[in-house]
Amino acid sequence: MKFILNLYRKVRAILSDWKYALLNIGRFKISEPAQLHHIGLNVVDTESSLAFYEKYFGTKRVKYNNDNDAMDADKLLLLLNLVENPPTTNQGTSLWHIGWSGEDAQREMDWRVKEGIEVHTPVTALDEDHFMYFWGPNKEMIEVYTRKKGHAFEHIHLLATDVDVTMRWFSSTLGLDPVYRKSAKSPRGFKWNYFTVNDIDIVVFGKPDKKETWWPEEGFKPTDGSAFNHIGFCFQNVEAIFKEMKTAGICIVEDIKYNPENELKSFLIRGPDQLLIRILGEI
């Protein structure tokens, strides 16, 4: 009986691989995988944002290309764009929040509260782990999650109308393949999947079965103009990548251009569910 069960599992896995390959015949696939580069933030006060992330999450102040204010958050940068009016919150967009790892959840919550941080969600148990949410200085949501331990930047959390469609888009357009071929169903009533780039998880949740405060029932707003304005990815040959994406019909928001201030070429594309993405040359 055990032999038959193992044989069945192997055959099912082979058939799943064949089905996946057949579904991808003729589908656009970018010529090289992207690297995660940065998250673009809109801020009304540069110093306040630098001080906030430095104090509560251990980021380091850096000058991006020796000029622009930015924060080094382990495996990626947080780039600051100074705006005159307060940006809108990301709640209601597909870029839900960003997150750091943690260890002693209650102790870390107590310390941050004592130091004056604004809490969105107190320490909450999730199986054997814990999570908590905080508000940033521009009403951006930040999570601390204890699954991976340590205190490094851990994840970016997206929402999607259709998780499988979103994962296929990231696979074909950015060369980032999901961990699961097909989205998994959470016991909490939504589909989910994720992929990992630069040791950072980009997690995608679908629409929950029941009403949840984190799901925008009226549809997704563009991330443009919100606190987390966009996600930035880089490629070795940005000009070649631009041509590939344009030929494939990817939605180009802004054509490739050269910025003399940072000596980089970049362009903007529209991802799933109104997500703004900047593509730039490898640094």
Side-chain angles (χ1 to χ4, degrees), residues 41-61 70-73 78 80 97-100 108 111-120 132-144 153 227-228:
L41 279 74
N42 288 316
V43 303
V44 291
D45 186 294
T46 301
E47 178 56 34
S48 294
S49 290
L50 288 170
F52 174 88
Y53 284 96
E54 185 177 47
K55 177 177 181 178
Y56 293 116
F57 299 99
T59 61
K60 297 178 178 64
R61 302 183 187 211
M71 294 171 282
D72 183 347
L78 303 180
L80 306 185
H97 64 261
I98 63 176
W100 270 260
E108 293 182 27
W111 172 80
R112 288 184 174 92
V113 169
K114 183 180 178 181
E115 292 297 317
I117 201 170
E118 184 179 357
V119 177
H120 176 277
M132 61 196 96
Y133 293 99
F134 303 99
W135 287 118
N138 297 280
K139 284 300 179 183
E140 66 269 40
M141 189 184 290
I142 305 143
E143 181 180 13
V144 174
F153 188 95
F228 296 132

Side-chain angles (χ1 to χ4, degrees), residues 213-234:
T213 57
W214 47 266
W215 181 264
E217 294 291 343
E218 298 180 358
F220 292 103
K221 302 181 296 183
T223 58
D224 322 30
S226 58
F228 296 132
N229 186 74
H230 65 271
I231 303 176
F233 293 90
C234 62

Side-chain angles (χ1 to χ4, degrees), residues 51 58 190:
F190 54 83

Side-chain angles (χ1 to χ4, degrees), residues 75-250:
K75 299 289 196 307
L76 85 169
L77 294 170
L78 303 180
L79 302 185
L80 306 185
N81 176 48
L82 186 63
V83 294
E84 194 170 314
N85 299 312
T88 57
T89 176
N90 280 82
Q91 306 314 293
T93 77
S94 58
L95 211 175
W96 185 14
H97 64 261
I98 63 176
W100 270 260
S101 54
E103 294 187 356
D104 188 329
Q106 193 58 57
R107 183 177 179 182
E108 293 182 27
M109 166 65 78
D110 292 344
W111 172 80
R112 288 184 174 92
V113 169
K114 183 180 178 181
E115 292 297 317
I117 201 170
E118 184 179 357
V119 177
H120 176 277
T121 302
V123 174
T124 305
L126 180 62
D127 298 324
E128 296 179 355
D129 303 308
H130 295 84
F131 66 87
M132 61 196 96
Y133 293 99
F134 303 99
W135 287 118
N138 297 280
K139 284 300 179 183
E140 66 269 40
M141 189 184 290
I142 305 143
E143 181 180 13
V144 174
Y145 183 33
T146 63
R147 182 174 65 91
K148 285 189 177 179
K149 309 308 176 189
H151 297 94
F153 188 95
E154 190 211 37
H155 72 270
I156 298 170
H157 208 142
L158 305 178
L159 302 177
T161 303
D162 187 314
V163 176
D164 291 320
V165 168
T166 291
M167 301 315 273
R168 285 197 295 271
W169 187 92
F170 274 96
S171 177
S172 63
T173 309
L174 298 179
L176 305 174
D177 293 325
V179 171
Y180 306 120
R181 284 279 173 84
K182 191 175 181 180
S183 57
K185 188 66 180 280
S186 165
R188 291 183 287 162
F190 54 83
K191 291 183 177 180
W192 74 284
N193 206 338
Y194 75 102
F195 52 88
T196 302
V197 55
N198 300 34
D199 294 325
I200 293 171
D201 294 335
I202 299 184
V203 184
V204 183
F205 279 6
K207 184 177 182 179
D209 293 339
K210 61 180 182 179
K211 191 171 183 178
E212 297 281 1
T213 57
W214 47 266
W215 181 264
E217 294 291 343
E218 298 180 358
F220 292 103
K221 302 181 296 183
T223 58
D224 322 30
S226 58
F228 296 132
N229 186 74
H230 65 271
I231 303 176
F233 293 90
C234 62
F235 290 89
Q236 289 183 347
N237 189 337
V238 68
E239 291 181 327
I241 294 298
F242 175 75
K243 291 178 182 177
E244 288 182 38
M245 290 188 181
K246 192 166 186 177
T247 301
I250 303 302

